[in-house]
Amino acid sequence: MINKAINEKQDIINVSYKLAEKDMDVSLFRKILSWGSSFLYKSLFSKIKKYNITVLTCSYRIYNLEKIKDIKLRSDDFNCCAELLIKSMIKNLNITEIAGENIGRKFGYSKMKIMKNIFNILKTIFLIKIN
């Protein structure tokens, strides 16, 4: 990832499990939540279409700190990843996506509260729009 960022002068490298074209062992409900949040973000922020990014939620990423350090984040939960990526797109940073496998959770459980996260997605969209 570092070599790609340097050699191709990319400010952000995003890793997408969707590009890996491998079935993930996740529930249908989790897939619907992921699709729904991506649909909302893509519908409400036209810049996303220019970048053709497939994963906006939490993912592995590498950032050029000099390019993103002035971006102010308001989210304080899982949604900060999407907020930073969307604000980077609005700022016209060089962003590319590469394939990567998501092997899922082997132990434990997610601590994400579903209803709270849905509310926070809507809050994040609102905060980006008014900023």
Side-chain angles (χ1 to χ4, degrees):
M1 289 175 67
I2 292 172
N3 288 337
K4 186 171 184 69
I6 293 169
N7 295 337
E8 297 181 18
K9 296 181 177 23
Q10 295 297 311
D11 302 316
I12 300 173
I13 306 288
N14 189 52
V15 177
S16 171
Y17 65 89
K18 293 180 181 179
L19 295 179
E21 298 179 0
K22 185 172 182 181
D23 286 334
M24 290 186 346
D25 187 23
V26 296
S27 70
L28 178 61
F29 184 67
R30 176 66 180 95
K31 288 178 184 178
I32 291 170
L33 284 176
S34 180
W35 177 86
S37 66
S38 292
F39 176 79
L40 274 176
Y41 287 128
K42 289 176 181 181
S43 297
L44 297 171
F45 298 101
S46 59
K47 279 280 193 184
I48 295 173
K49 292 178 181 121
K50 171 190 167 203
Y51 285 92
N52 198 28
I53 298 295
T54 62
V55 175
L56 295 163
T57 53
C58 292
S59 175
Y60 292 107
R61 294 193 183 108
I62 188 169
Y63 300 96
N64 179 335
L65 181 60
E66 289 299 315
K67 298 289 181 111
I68 65 163
K69 69 180 179 182
D70 64 330
I71 296 175
K72 301 222 182 307
L73 299 175
R74 296 180 179 242
S75 301
D76 59 358
D77 61 1
F78 295 104
N79 295 296
C80 68
C81 297
E83 181 183 4
L84 180 55
L85 195 57
I86 292 167
K87 286 183 174 182
S88 297
M89 291 175 190
I90 292 168
K91 194 176 169 182
N92 290 314
L93 296 184
N94 294 320
I95 304 169
T96 193
E97 195 169 58
I98 62 173
E101 185 178 345
N102 182 341
I103 60 172
R105 184 180 307 278
K106 299 294 181 199
F107 302 100
Y109 59 94
S110 173
K111 287 140 191 88
M112 180 180 76
K113 305 292 185 239
I114 294 168
M115 292 310 293
K116 180 181 177 187
N117 193 52
I118 291 170
F119 172 79
N120 285 339
I121 288 169
L122 298 173
K123 182 176 93 175
T124 298
I125 289 169
F126 175 76
L127 291 172
I128 295 171
K129 284 289 194 181
I130 65 166
N131 195 11

Coordinates of all heavy atoms in Angstrom, one line a residue, residues 17 24-36 114:
Y17 N -13.2 -4.9 0.2 CA -13.5 -6.4 0.1 C -14.4 -6.7 -1.1 O -14.4 -7.8 -1.6 CB -14.2 -6.8 1.4 CG -15.5 -6.2 1.6 CD1 -16.7 -6.8 1.1 CD2 -15.7 -5.0 2.4 CE1 -17.9 -6.2 1.3 CE2 -16.9 -4.5 2.6 CZ -18.0 -5.1 2.1 OH -19.3 -4.5 2.2
M24 N -18.1 -13.2 1.6 CA -17.8 -13.0 3.0 C -18.8 -13.8 3.8 O -19.9 -13.9 3.4 CB -17.8 -11.6 3.4 CG -16.7 -10.7 2.9 SD -16.7 -9.0 3.5 CE -18.3 -8.8 4.3
D25 N -18.4 -14.3 4.9 CA -19.3 -15.0 5.8 C -19.9 -14.1 6.8 O -19.5 -14.0 8.0 CB -18.5 -16.1 6.5 CG -19.4 -17.0 7.4 OD1 -20.6 -17.1 7.0 OD2 -18.9 -17.6 8.3
V26 N -20.8 -13.2 6.3 CA -21.5 -12.3 7.1 C -23.0 -12.4 6.9 O -23.5 -12.9 5.9 CB -21.1 -10.8 6.9 CG1 -19.7 -10.6 7.2 CG2 -21.4 -10.4 5.4
S27 N -23.8 -12.0 7.9 CA -25.2 -12.2 7.8 C -25.9 -11.3 6.7 O -25.3 -10.2 6.4 CB -25.9 -11.8 9.1 OG -25.8 -10.5 9.4
L28 N -27.0 -11.6 6.2 CA -27.8 -10.8 5.3 C -28.1 -9.5 5.9 O -28.0 -8.5 5.2 CB -29.0 -11.6 4.9 CG -29.9 -10.8 3.9 CD1 -29.2 -10.5 2.6 CD2 -31.2 -11.6 3.7
F29 N -28.4 -9.4 7.2 CA -28.7 -8.2 7.8 C -27.5 -7.2 7.8 O -27.6 -6.0 7.5 CB -29.1 -8.4 9.3 CG -29.5 -7.2 10.0 CD1 -30.7 -6.5 9.7 CD2 -28.8 -6.7 11.1 CE1 -31.1 -5.4 10.3 CE2 -29.1 -5.6 11.7 CZ -30.3 -4.9 11.4
R30 N -26.3 -7.7 8.0 CA -25.1 -6.9 8.0 C -24.8 -6.4 6.6 O -24.4 -5.3 6.4 CB -23.9 -7.8 8.5 CG -22.5 -7.1 8.4 CD -22.5 -5.9 9.3 NE -21.2 -5.2 9.2 CZ -21.0 -4.1 8.4 NH1 -21.9 -3.6 7.7 NH2 -19.8 -3.6 8.4
K31 N -25.1 -7.3 5.6 CA -24.9 -6.8 4.2 C -25.9 -5.7 3.8 O -25.5 -4.8 3.1 CB -25.1 -8.0 3.2 CG -24.0 -9.0 3.2 CD -24.3 -10.2 2.3 CE -23.2 -11.2 2.4 NZ -23.4 -12.4 1.6
I32 N -27.1 -5.8 4.3 CA -28.2 -4.8 4.0 C -27.8 -3.5 4.7 O -27.9 -2.4 4.1 CB -29.5 -5.3 4.5 CG1 -30.0 -6.4 3.6 CG2 -30.5 -4.1 4.5 CD1 -31.3 -7.1 4.1
L33 N -27.3 -3.5 5.9 CA -26.8 -2.3 6.6 C -25.7 -1.6 5.8 O -25.7 -0.4 5.6 CB -26.3 -2.6 8.0 CG -27.4 -2.9 9.1 CD1 -26.8 -3.3 10.4 CD2 -28.3 -1.7 9.3
S34 N -24.7 -2.4 5.4 CA -23.6 -1.9 4.6 C -24.0 -1.3 3.3 O -23.6 -0.2 3.0 CB -22.6 -3.0 4.4 OG -21.5 -2.5 3.7
W35 N -24.9 -2.0 2.6 CA -25.4 -1.5 1.3 C -26.2 -0.2 1.6 O -26.1 0.7 0.8 CB -26.3 -2.6 0.7 CG -26.9 -2.1 -0.6 CD1 -26.3 -2.1 -1.8 CD2 -28.2 -1.4 -0.8 NE1 -27.2 -1.5 -2.7 CE2 -28.3 -1.1 -2.1 CE3 -29.2 -1.1 0.1 CZ2 -29.4 -0.5 -2.6 CZ3 -30.3 -0.5 -0.4 CH2 -30.4 -0.2 -1.7
G36 N -27.0 -0.2 2.6 CA -27.9 0.9 2.9 C -27.1 2.2 3.2 O -27.4 3.3 2.6
I114 N -26.7 -1.2 16.6 CA -27.3 -1.0 15.3 C -28.1 0.3 15.2 O -27.9 1.1 14.3 CB -28.1 -2.2 14.8 CG1 -27.1 -3.4 14.7 CG2 -28.8 -1.9 13.5 CD1 -27.7 -4.7 14.5

